[in-house]
Amino acid sequence: MGVSKLMDLLSDSREVIRNDGLLLLVQLTKNNANIQKIVAFENAFERLIEIISEEGGSEGGIVVEDCLLLLLNLLKKNSSNQTFFKEGRYVQKLAPFFDLQNNEPKSLDVGWSAQKVNNVNSMLQVVRTLVSPSNPQQATATCQKVIHQCGLLKQLCTILMASGVPADILTETINTVSEVIRGSKTNQEFFASVSAPSTPPRPAIVVLVMSMVNEKQPFVLRCAVLYCFQCFLYKNEVGQEQIISTLLPATADASAVTAGQLLCGGLFSQDSVSNWCASVALAHALKDNPSQKEQLLRVQLATGPGNPSVSLLQQCTNMLSSPTAKVQTRLGLLMLLCSWLANCQLAVTHFLANSANVPFLMAQVAEHVDEQEALVQGLCSFLLGISVHFNDNSNATFTSESLRNLITKRVGLESLVEKLVSVTKHDSYTMAAQKPQLRYTQPEHLLIDYEFTSLYKQLEGKMQLNRHRY
C-alpha cells in the first residue's frame, strides 16, 4: 500500500514532489529485491520511460539520471524484474534514447555536457544489466535477440564508429556491444558486417583492434576493445576462422589492413600491453577450435630482407626466451602457447621440433624466483605439462617418457606440482577467474585472462591426478 502511494508521486503534476518521490524510491530499492519487485509491478518501468522521454532523453537533466538509477536498481541481479521488463516490451522503448544523431543532425562531435555523459553512461549500464554474462544464459540470449531486432544494436554500433564521442562513453559503448553480441551467433554476424564510415570503409573489428594495439590510446579503452574481441569470438567458430584466415599465406590480402596483421604487429611491438592483448586475443581465436590451431601453424613471418621466414610459433618462443622480455609480455605469450598446444598434438610436435624450447622451460622452472616471476614459472610448468600430456611421441628426443624423466631429474615431480598449484593462489589469477570482463585500472595489473583460468582449471587438475605418470 505504501509503495503504491509512493508510485503515485511519480505522476504528480508538481515537479518538486515527483522528483523527491523519485529520489526516495532510488534509496528504497537499493539491495532490496522484494521492494524492487513491488515497485516494478506498480507500473514503474512505463512511468520511468515516460519521464525520461518528457525530460529530453539523453539531453535531459539530473531527473533523467535519477530515473536511470532507479531503473538500474530495479533490474540489476533481479531476474524476475528483467523478465517483466523484456515481456512488457520495454527493451524496445530504450532505442529512441540512443538515437543521438536525430537529436544532433550535424554530427556527434558538437560537445557533450557532463550531464549528457552521465545520462548516456547510465542508460548503457541499463542495457548491460539485461545481457550480463552473470544472468541466466537463456534470459541473456532472449534479450540479445530483442536488442538486435529492435535496432538497438545497430544504434550502439553507430555510436561506436562515430567521431566526437567522449572516451568514457566510447569505452562503455564498446563494453555494452560486447555483451550484446557475446555468444549470440546472429548478433556476432551483424557485428562482423559493421564498417567504419571511412574511405575506404574498414570493418569495425579492424578499427577497434587498431586502438587496442596503439599504446597512445587510454588503457581502459584498450581493455574494452579486447573484451569486445573476446565476446565476438565467444562460441563463434566462423569468427575464429575469419580472424585466423587473415594471417594465412594463401588468403592474406597484402593491400588491406586486417585484424590478423594488426594482432601480429601488437604481438611483437615494444609495448608490453600490446604484446599481452594481442596474445590473449589470438588465444581466443583458437579456443576450443583444433582446426584453427593447426591452421595457425602454417603462418610464416618475414624477418628481414634476404632472411628466411620463421613460423609464428617459433617467433613467439624466440620472444618468450628473450632476456629483455617483460613479465607481462612473457605471461601473454605463455597463455597463447598453452592455449595453442592444449588438445592439439600437431602443435605440440611443432613446438618440440625446436630443440631449444624444452631446455629453456626446464631452466625457467628450476630457478628460484620472486612473486611475479613465480607466475611465469608456474605457466612454464603448465606448458611443460601440456607438452607431456598431448605428446604423440613422434619426436624421439622428447617423447612423453623422456620428458617425464627429464622433469624428475631437473625439477622433481612434487616441485613441479607445487609450481602449478601456486598459480591458482596468485592474486591476479583469482581476480581474473571472477568475470569475463577485464576490470583493471593500471596496465601493470594485466597478467592473467579469464578464459585462460578455465583452461588452467581443466588441465592442471588432470596433471595433478596423473602426476604418477611424470
Side-chain angles (χ1 to χ4, degrees):
M1 189 68 170
V3 172
S4 297
K5 294 289 184 186
L6 278 176
M7 287 302 301
D8 289 343
L9 297 180
L10 295 187
S11 301
D12 199 292
S13 58
R14 295 162 294 183
E15 279 194 13
V16 66
I17 301 294
R18 182 198 67 184
N19 297 347
D20 282 348
L22 185 58
L23 291 173
L24 183 54
L25 283 165
V26 169
Q27 294 303 316
L28 281 173
T29 52
K30 280 182 181 176
N31 305 314
N32 191 318
N34 289 330
I35 292 180
Q36 289 165 5
K37 287 178 185 176
I38 295 168
V39 171
F41 280 91
E42 287 286 343
N43 208 30
F45 296 139
E46 185 73 42
R47 185 62 192 126
L48 288 171
I49 289 171
E50 282 176 3
I51 295 172
I52 289 168
S53 179
E54 289 165 4
E55 292 290 326
S58 61
E59 299 291 338
I62 188 71
V63 173
V64 169
E65 186 179 358
D66 290 337
C67 286
L68 292 168
L69 287 176
L70 180 52
L71 262 182
L72 271 172
N73 284 357
L74 296 176
L75 293 170
K76 204 165 188 177
K77 296 180 181 177
N78 192 318
S79 55
S80 167
N81 280 3
Q82 288 177 19
T83 301
F84 183 52
F85 191 84
K86 179 191 72 211
E87 291 177 352
R89 298 183 61 80
Y90 295 111
V91 175
Q92 291 87 329
K93 295 180 181 181
L94 301 181
F97 185 93
F98 290 106
D99 203 3
L100 303 180
Q101 287 185 313
N102 272 2
N103 295 340
E104 299 166 2
K106 295 177 184 177
S107 71
L108 295 186
D109 57 3
V110 294
W112 290 52
S113 67
Q115 186 60 59
K116 180 176 178 177
V117 168
N118 288 346
N119 290 347
V120 175
N121 193 49
S122 296
M123 185 58 99
L124 288 168
Q125 288 177 45
V126 169
V127 176
R128 288 187 70 184
T129 298
L130 298 169
V131 290
S132 170
S134 60
N135 291 349
Q137 188 177 353
Q138 187 55 47
T140 294
T142 308
C143 284
Q144 287 173 325
K145 184 178 180 181
V146 172
I147 288 169
H148 176 47
Q149 287 175 338
C150 74
L152 182 48
L153 175 57
K154 184 178 179 180
Q155 287 175 306
L156 293 172
C157 288
T158 299
I159 297 171
L160 205 65
M161 293 292 106
S163 60
V165 179
D168 47 353
I169 291 298
L170 181 58
T171 300
E172 191 61 15
T173 304
I174 294 170
N175 286 328
T176 306
V177 169
S178 304
E179 290 174 353
V180 171
I181 67 174
R182 187 176 189 267
S184 167
K185 185 180 177 183
T186 304
N187 293 7
Q188 287 165 336
E189 286 174 355
F190 173 81
F191 182 69
S193 72
V194 174
S195 292
S198 57
T199 309
R202 280 188 173 138
I205 197 78
V206 170
V207 175
L208 289 175
V209 174
M210 279 180 173
S211 298
M212 185 183 78
V213 297
N214 182 351
E215 59 186 300
K216 294 179 181 177
Q217 292 290 344
F219 173 67
V220 290
L221 177 66
R222 297 172 75 185
C223 287
V225 172
L226 178 57
Y227 183 47
C228 189
F229 193 83
Q230 292 170 346
C231 290
F232 170 62
L233 296 180
Y234 183 70
K235 296 184 178 180
N236 182 6
E237 289 190 2
V238 173
Q240 289 176 315
E241 184 182 357
Q242 289 169 347
I243 297 299
I244 299 300
S245 71
T246 62
L247 286 163
L248 300 178
T251 54
D253 180 356
S255 64
V257 177
T258 66
Q261 291 170 358
L262 291 167
L263 290 176
C264 268
L267 202 57
F268 305 119
S269 80
Q270 298 299 308
D271 172 40
S272 62
V273 172
S274 291
N275 301 156
W276 192 94
C277 289
S279 296
V280 169
L282 270 175
H284 280 259
L286 302 175
K287 179 176 165 54
D288 299 329
N289 198 326
S291 65
Q292 294 311 314
K293 292 181 183 186
E294 294 188 4
Q295 287 294 318
L296 199 61
L297 294 171
R298 295 171 51 206
V299 176
Q300 298 287 317
L301 304 173
T303 54
N307 294 332
S309 61
V310 62
S311 73
L312 175 60
L313 180 66
Q314 187 53 50
Q315 190 64 12
C316 287
T317 57
N318 291 346
M319 193 169 173
L320 177 64
S321 59
S322 167
T324 59
K326 295 178 182 176
V327 167
Q328 190 171 54
T329 298
R330 283 182 287 152
L331 286 172
L333 289 166
L334 281 164
M335 286 189 290
L336 170 57
L337 289 168
C338 290
S339 302
W340 195 346
L341 271 58
N343 300 294
C344 185
Q345 289 185 331
L346 186 60
V348 172
T349 301
H350 279 242
F351 177 76
L352 296 176
N354 184 331
S355 58
N357 286 340
V358 170
F360 168 75
L361 291 179
M362 288 290 183
Q364 294 292 302
V365 173
E367 283 183 355
H368 293 287
V369 294
D370 62 22
E371 186 185 355
Q372 274 210 331
E373 286 289 346
L375 202 49
V376 173
Q377 192 175 65
L379 265 59
C380 285
S381 303
F382 189 52
L383 187 53
L384 262 180
I386 287 171
S387 300
V388 174
H389 201 73
F390 298 102
N391 193 324
D392 65 1
N393 298 316
S394 59
N395 186 318
T397 308
F398 297 120
T399 63
S400 292
E401 188 63 35
S402 62
L403 282 175
R404 287 188 204 107
N405 292 338
L406 204 54
I407 291 168
T408 303
K409 183 178 175 182
R410 293 286 306 276
V411 183
L413 302 183
E414 292 304 319
S415 177
L416 186 80
V417 169
E418 282 174 17
K419 294 176 196 303
L420 287 170
V421 172
S422 71
V423 172
T424 61
K425 295 179 179 176
H426 200 282
D427 286 348
S428 59
Y429 180 95
T430 307
M431 185 181 295
Q434 291 173 3
K435 288 183 177 179
Q437 188 190 358
L438 304 92
R439 291 186 177 274
Y440 301 110
T441 54
Q442 299 299 323
E444 58 269 21
H445 296 156
L446 213 55
L447 299 174
I448 299 292
D449 173 57
Y450 170 82
E451 288 293 348
F452 179 75
T453 64
S454 301
L455 177 70
Y456 199 89
K457 283 175 203 166
Q458 176 194 346
L459 294 182
E460 182 253 344
K462 287 182 181 178
M463 289 174 192
Q464 284 203 56
L465 287 172
N466 294 334
R467 77 174 77 178
H468 65 279
R469 293 174 54 200
Y470 286 84

